[in-house]
Amino acid sequence: NAGVTQTPKFQVLKTGQSMTLQCAQDMNHEYMSWYRQDPGMGLRLIHYSVGAGITDQGEVPNGYNVSRSTTEDFPLRLLSAAPSQTSVYFCASIGTGQTEAFFGQGTRLTVV
Amino acid sequence: AQSVTQLGSHVSVSEGALVLLRCNYSSSVPPYLFWYVQYPNQGLQLLLKYTTGATLVKGINGFEAEFKKSETSFHLTKPSAHMSDAAEYFCAVSRNTGTASKLTFGTGTRLQVTL
């Protein structure tokens, strides 16, 4: 009963490096989303997907890419990390016709 | 466009006292409304939600919230606070089009419970 699994849990990057945050869900949910959480700002939507092969931008998409080749996986790519991307990242999924979002445990990313 | 305003970034109550966390929303269409709780170093867990029907909704851990359309509010309450309620609470709204994957969150309220 894994739910939504995010890896890694912690990561330190140097400015300019690239990396991929992984997100996998085993609930056969169609909808998946990425959020970033910053102090005093709540969670903000980065990208979301309504099914395999379909993605769209959220509120703060700049500097991030996503793809959805399978229902289970929704990786988030940082192409060239910047200190402004230091944040906690959460992946979430929702089943078709459902309203409750299930969140992963988060990835704490520090860009130095 | 949707937005959520949570009044008070920090709320402190005594154990056994009433908990009231305020949330006001703005939405151009009938909304879905949610309260999530986040314990330290963990993800978000759904406390309760309003989609349609009864405007007073009950959630886990003794929390409840009332949807008041005229006041565009969805305040969270609990009659008697417990030490284990100390956490950060987020109010969120989504469009009721079935695509609830696009949540708009408030900035959060950190609840402190003192002896």
Side-chain angles (χ1 to χ4, degrees):
Chain A
N1 192 16
V4 180
T5 302
Q6 291 183 237
T7 56
K9 287 186 170 51
F10 300 93
Q11 183 70 50
V12 179
L13 287 179
K14 294 183 179 179
T15 298
Q17 286 185 316
S18 63
M19 80 159 294
T20 299
L21 279 62
Q22 302 291 345
C23 175
Q25 52 92 8
D26 61 358
M27 298 172 283
N28 201 33
H29 285 173
E30 285 297 312
Y31 303 124
M32 296 185 75
S33 311
W34 276 102
Y35 295 86
R36 60 177 289 173
Q37 182 180 21
D38 301 292
M41 302 189 75
L43 282 80
R44 293 178 291 167
L45 182 65
I46 305 172
H47 286 283
Y48 66 101
S49 169
V50 299
I54 306 170
T55 64
D56 205 346
Q57 296 180 351
E59 182 184 354
V60 288
N62 292 341
Y64 307 95
N65 275 0
V66 292
S67 60
R68 183 97 180 271
S69 56
T70 67
T71 298
E72 294 77 21
D73 300 298
F74 190 43
L76 178 71
R77 298 183 187 84
L78 282 70
L79 304 176
S80 177
S84 61
Q85 294 179 304
T86 294
S87 186
V88 182
Y89 292 85
F90 288 99
C91 179
S93 73
I94 302 177
T96 303
Q98 299 177 9
T99 53
E100 178 178 355
F102 291 84
F103 285 82
Q105 293 293 295
T107 295
R108 185 174 297 274
L109 176 68
T110 302
V111 183
V112 298
Chain B
Q2 304 165 122
S3 66
V4 175
T5 301
Q6 290 184 241
L7 294 176
S9 58
H10 289 83
V11 170
S12 181
V13 300
S14 300
E15 190 174 35
L18 171 71
V19 175
L20 170 60
L21 304 183
R22 299 179 185 275
C23 172
N24 289 88
Y25 71 91
S26 171
S27 178
S28 58
V29 298
Y32 288 167
L33 293 160
F34 307 84
W35 275 99
Y36 283 87
V37 61
Q38 184 181 34
Y39 297 102
N41 300 314
Q42 294 195 21
L44 278 72
Q45 179 183 6
L46 182 69
L47 268 181
L48 50 78
K49 64 182 179 183
Y50 169 80
T51 54
T52 59
T55 56
L56 180 63
V57 293
K58 296 185 185 299
I60 61 172
N61 302 337
F63 284 94
E64 62 182 37
E66 186 171 10
F67 169 58
K68 292 187 176 181
K69 185 178 178 180
S70 61
E71 299 177 7
T72 60
S73 69
F74 191 57
H75 302 331
L76 182 70
T77 61
K78 182 175 180 178
S80 177
H82 192 271
M83 296 296 288
S84 61
D85 295 326
E88 189 153 21
Y89 293 79
F90 292 94
C91 182
V93 63
S94 73
R95 296 169 65 90
N96 66 344
T97 60
T99 312
S101 56
K102 294 178 66 177
L103 290 164
T104 299
F105 285 87
T107 53
T109 298
R110 185 168 299 278
L111 176 66
Q112 180 182 18
V113 182
T114 59
L115 288 172

